[in-house]
Structures are given as structure tokens and as C-alpha cells.
Amino acid sequence: MTVTGTESSLVDDLLDGKHRALARVITKIENRSPGYRDIVSALHTHTGTADVIGITGSPGAGKSTLVDKLAKSYRDRDETVGVIAVDPSSPYTGGAVLGDRIRMASNVGDMDVFFRSMSARGTLGGLSTATADAVKALDAFGKDKVIIETVGAGQNEVDIVKTADTVCVLVQPGSGDDVQMLKAGILEIGDVFVVNKADMDGAERTVAELEEMIHMRENPAAGLDTGHHGPVDEEEMAEVALDEEDEEAWDARVVETVATDATGVDELIDTLGDHADWLHETGRIDERARTRYAEEIRQLVRADTAGLLEDVIESRGGIEALADRVLARETDPYTVADELVEPVRECVRERDGDEDD
Amino acid sequence: MSTQERETGRQIRCLIAKVGLDGHDRGAHVISRAFRDAGFEVIYSGLHRAPDEIVQAAVQEDVDVLGISILSGAHNTLVPKIVDGLKEYDAFEDTLILVGGIIPDDDREDLLEMGVGAVFGPGTPMEETIEFVRENVHDRE
């Protein structure tokens, strides 16, 4: 894609390190303003250098405070930081109060921590695309670390953290018994688990439960007596298990922090660094990126074809008229869908035919 | 507003800021909530912010509206600093600045001349403020 006019100068300004341009680009991405696609396309070649860290967890786990302290520590190490904090929006009015900025007290006045609040804007699936594009903007701007912070409550959030290289799940002590840990699907995506507020009662137990859960995740069959006649003694069994294990696999880690006074933050940074090193050494970083780009292409193609099909529906008198015909038993949903997609199918067939000739 | 409109249309973003020493932010909370219910995206700064911090937040968040709540009487020193800061980042031109709180009549004119869009005193109906924002928010390309 080619960029022209305002878009082109916005891209230049962003690459020049102008904060205003970065802010404006993210707004355009959020609004899906005309030309935003060209901008993101133009930025793509400049991305790929930032470490992207996703932080999620239940409300009140202390995510914002921890992100604040993380950003501070990265700054102390002379690294620049971009933060995107995602908050829910009202499904009724679209309005939102984006409150995480209040807790960014350690980085006040430091423009090299670029903090941006984003609201979910009631979109399904669109948010993760917008977040991923905003990450690209921060990456192209030259941020060393990009942190995505989101409340972990459902599928949407899982999608967002998928845009990160390293996923960090925040848990607070006493946030549930082991059944909660089992049913919370979000625990399956963590590379690093942080027990925040580790000075609270029950922190030890939460750490132990997490360790146990991680252990079970790594070897789902461990400890299960399947009744097979396998290796006889325990030592032999352990050896077999070791051989089968992928030596290069990442063992999820549990880190304890007290975000309010930055306890454990350095250890967390080291752990995040270890994970980043592992990603690069094993080549998993490209693997993850490939999966991400594949998914991104799929999403874009789906959105674009959905848009095309909306036009087809309009040209056939609109979705309600079609539904009325189904209601009157004149036709059925499958037939309607078939008819609607037919022109697209024809075009594809025609084109493929041309190419074969 | 339908979901469709929300996905394609522009969302009004506001920063509600408490600057300086006064520690009373009930009004800021009320306006934040009212703006949220009006469908705006609201970022609340928290108490005791310095003008620099407000400028940083307004620039990074790329807000359409900056609402400054001041009850302490320090508006004559604080507001100009914010205005200058926004100009420094080329953000002044397209940010609608509102001042709310206790502002003597004599000072109102000065603030408006400085580039503040409106000054809302105590007892201003919420609808009036929201309507003003809708009508005066700066057009962007």
C-alpha cells in the first residue's frame, strides 16, 4: 500500500519520534479512520524490535501498579517503554472511564513512558486487531518494551494477550481455591505467573497451587495410574519421562511481588528477560510471530469479505427482507446464504480459471 | 449510537484533570461519570497533578476535550502552564479546554482569551456541559 498526504507525514513524524504523531496514529487506529490501514502498512517494516509483554489478571490484582513499577525499572535500565491499558466500555452508551493512568505515578513527567488508555468500544474481535496495530505503532516509534495491560475476564482478553511475546498472568493471594485455578482458562496461556500482594495472608498457598497447576500442565499424564505395564521402578520411570520431555520447552515460572513497594519487580524483569532470551534462542519468537500474522491475515480477510457481503445483502434488499422471506417459508437460511455468496464464488472461480490458462 | 456507528465513527475522548493542591474531587467524579454515560471515553487524572503531568496525559491520550477542575483559586497560574505545554506539543489547536470550579468573573475573560473554550461554574446543569462538548469539539481530519 502507498501512503499519501497527511498519512505520510504522520508516519514520518512518528518515525522521527514525535509524541503527538504517535498519539494521533493510535487514535486513527482506534477509530478505524480512513487511511489507518495505509499507516499501519507503512509502519510494518519498522517493527519487530520491541519486546511485547502482555499482563492480565482479575480486577484488583494490582496490574496497573505493577505495570507502573515495571516501567520505572525499565527506565532505570535506560530502556523506553510503551504501555497500552485496555478497559471495558459500556455496552449501552459506549462510554468508558479509563482509570489506570492514575496509578502511573512513578513515571510522571517522563515522556519516554508512553501510556495510552484504550477502551473495548463494545467490539468483538476488533479490539485485538486494534491493540495489535497500536503495539506496532509503539514498536515502530522505537519503544524497547511494550506492555499490554488488560483485565482478564473472558475470551476477548485472551485474544489480546495473544498479541504479546510473553504473557504474564497476575494472581492475588486467596483469589480462589484450586477449583478456581482449574477452571480459569486464562491460566493456560501464562508464561510467567505473578503472585502480587505477596505480603498478604495465603500468598504461600497460592504460590504452591500455581506451581502444582503448572506441573500438571507440563505433564498431563503425570501421577495418573493408567494401568499399563510400563517401566517397573520409579527411577526408571522418571528417566523415561525426562527423555520424552522437550528439552527446549519453557517451564512457566511463578514470581512473587508486592507492587506497591516494588518488591520482586527486579526478579520479575529478570524472568521476563529469561523468557525473551528463550524465545530468541529456540526460534520460538518467529514461530509465535508467524502464528500471529497468520491469524491477523485471517481476521483482516474475514472482515473485508464480510464487508463485501454486506454490500451484496444490501443489493438484495437488506437482511430484514431476506429474513422475512425465510419467515414466510419461501426459502431457508442455507439457500439464502448460498445465493448471497454465489457472486463472490463466481468471481473467485473466474479469476482462478484465468490464472490457469 | 449503534455498535456499527461506534465501530466506524469517532469517539469523543476526554481527560478530566485535577491540578494543584485542592483535594476535593467529588465534582470531577460526577462529571467523569456523566461524560461516561453520555458515551464519551473519560480518563481521570487523579488528584494533585502538576501541569506537566496533565500535558503529558492529554498528549499521549490524544483527547478531544481537556476538562480542568480547579477549586483552589490557582487557575491563573496553573491554566496558562497547561496551555503553554499543549502548544509545545502542537496539541493546543485541536484540544477543547474547559475549566470548571470556582472562578471569579474577572478571571473568566482572561481564561477565555487564553484559549479556554468555556468556564463552567458551580450549579451548571450537566446537560449544558455535555451539549457544549458535542457542539464545540474540534473537527479533526
Side-chain angles (χ1 to χ4, degrees):
Chain A
M1 281 192 192
T2 48
V3 246
T4 49
T6 357
E7 276 81 42
S8 163
S9 69
L10 254 187
V11 169
D12 289 344
D13 286 351
L14 185 150
L15 296 173
D16 274 352
K18 295 212 172 96
H19 289 94
R20 187 69 182 152
L22 173 59
R24 184 53 54 86
V25 163
I26 298 179
T27 305
K28 278 180 169 285
I29 287 168
E30 278 194 298
N31 290 343
R32 315 281 205 276
S33 304
Y36 95 92
R37 284 183 164 213
D38 299 341
I39 293 176
V40 180
S41 298
L43 292 177
H44 183 78
T45 47
H46 303 276
T47 61
T49 48
D51 290 326
V52 185
I53 301 157
I55 296 194
T56 188
S58 49
K63 292 181 294 294
S64 305
T65 312
L66 186 67
V67 168
D68 179 43
K69 295 300 193 306
L70 269 179
K72 176 82 170 58
S73 298
Y74 279 130
R75 291 295 297 132
D76 290 346
R77 297 169 190 217
D78 267 339
E79 292 187 288
T80 57
V81 184
V83 181
I84 294 170
V86 182
D87 266 323
S89 61
S90 158
Y92 303 112
T93 64
V97 172
L98 310 169
D100 290 337
R101 212 180 167 101
I102 296 182
R103 295 179 194 91
M104 293 301 289
S106 308
N107 299 285
V108 151
D110 179 4
M111 267 297 204
D112 282 327
V113 176
F114 192 99
F115 184 99
R116 180 65 178 242
S117 318
M118 268 176 117
S119 103
R121 297 205 178 173
T123 57
L124 281 171
L127 178 60
S128 50
T129 317
T131 314
D133 287 342
V135 168
K136 284 181 200 165
L138 288 165
D139 189 347
F141 186 81
K143 293 297 179 195
D144 299 311
K145 309 283 173 187
V146 176
I147 304 174
I148 311 164
E149 181 200 328
T150 172
V151 177
Q155 199 57 47
N156 238 352
E157 291 70 25
V158 176
D159 279 351
I160 296 165
V161 294
K162 272 195 217 150
T163 63
D165 301 321
T166 301
V167 175
C168 191
V169 176
L170 220 63
V171 181
Q172 58 175 336
S175 56
D177 54 16
D178 36 6
V179 178
Q180 289 291 349
M181 295 256 188
L182 285 175
K183 71 178 171 189
I186 202 147
L187 292 184
E188 288 160 31
I189 58 169
D191 300 303
V192 177
F193 293 91
V194 180
V195 177
N196 191 34
K197 308 186 185 178
D199 52 346
M200 265 170 62
D201 285 348
E204 259 171 60
R205 194 176 144 220
T206 305
V207 171
E209 278 171 359
L210 277 170
E211 303 262 12
E212 192 188 346
M213 187 210 70
I214 291 165
H215 180 71
M216 274 167 40
R217 184 176 76 174
E218 275 156 13
N219 192 353
L224 286 183
D225 183 6
T226 51
H228 290 295
H229 292 288
V232 188
D233 62 337
E234 273 185 19
E235 242 174 72
E236 205 181 323
M237 220 146 116
E239 256 172 54
V240 172
L242 263 183
D243 284 347
E244 283 171 358
E245 244 174 67
D246 182 1
E247 276 171 34
E248 283 187 337
W250 169 259
D251 297 331
R253 307 237 197 111
V254 182
V255 182
E256 292 175 64
T257 58
V258 183
T260 43
D261 62 7
T263 304
V265 168
D266 281 334
E267 201 200 336
L268 174 59
I269 283 188
D270 291 344
T271 309
L272 294 172
D274 288 348
H275 187 256
D277 291 346
W278 173 83
L279 283 171
H280 287 281
E281 280 158 18
T282 59
R284 300 286 166 96
I285 189 87
D286 288 338
E287 209 176 285
R288 283 194 181 200
R290 194 177 299 116
T291 314
R292 260 198 324 254
Y293 289 136
E295 186 55 35
E296 210 179 310
I297 294 168
R298 282 227 169 83
Q299 270 197 14
L300 287 175
V301 169
R302 266 190 219 126
D304 287 357
T305 40
L308 279 179
L309 287 170
E310 281 300 322
D311 295 344
V312 177
I313 291 171
E314 274 320 301
S315 72
R316 301 286 167 96
I319 196 79
E320 275 168 20
L322 292 167
D324 279 342
R325 286 182 53 211
V326 172
L327 190 64
R329 299 294 183 276
E330 284 170 28
T331 180
D332 66 289
Y334 283 97
T335 310
V336 173
D338 233 23
E339 283 167 11
L340 292 174
V341 179
E342 190 50 33
V344 181
R345 197 179 288 131
E346 245 167 52
C347 288
V348 173
R349 236 184 255 136
E350 232 166 70
R351 249 191 72 172
D352 281 355
D354 285 350
E355 276 168 19
D356 286 345
D357 291 339
Chain B
M1 202 166 42
S2 74
T3 310
Q4 185 66 26
E5 278 171 315
R6 227 179 288 146
E7 275 170 14
T8 51
R10 164 164 163 237
Q11 188 100 22
I12 296 177
R13 284 169 71 86
C14 316
L15 173 65
I16 301 296
K18 283 298 299 183
V19 212
L21 295 175
D22 85 80
H24 192 74
D25 64 349
R26 196 178 150 74
H29 283 191
V30 170
I31 198 97
S32 294
R33 203 189 147 142
F35 276 10
R36 182 200 72 187
D37 289 343
F40 303 166
E41 283 177 6
V42 185
I43 295 135
Y44 174 52
S45 72
L47 280 170
H48 308 306
R49 299 293 149 172
D52 279 358
E53 301 175 46
I54 297 308
V55 170
Q56 182 186 12
V59 170
Q60 294 186 346
E61 300 287 358
D62 195 19
V63 290
D64 305 285
V65 182
L66 169 58
I68 308 167
S69 161
I70 300 186
L71 301 168
S72 65
H75 45 270
N76 285 337
T77 34
L78 296 171
V79 177
K81 282 184 186 164
I82 294 173
V83 168
D84 288 347
L86 289 176
K87 283 179 178 162
E88 193 186 317
Y89 285 99
D90 300 324
F92 174 72
E93 295 298 327
D94 44 24
T95 308
L96 174 63
I97 304 172
L98 307 176
V99 174
I102 319 273
I103 312 289
D105 284 345
D106 290 351
D107 294 344
R108 277 175 188 247
E109 288 309 311
D110 295 345
L111 289 177
L112 293 174
E113 224 160 82
M114 204 182 293
V116 170
V119 176
F120 296 109
T124 309
M126 208 57 79
E127 294 75 31
E128 193 185 317
T129 313
I130 290 167
E131 210 39 53
F132 186 87
V133 168
R134 287 218 170 99
E135 277 167 17
N136 291 280
V137 72
H138 297 258
D139 272 334
R140 293 176 175 185
E141 87 288 345

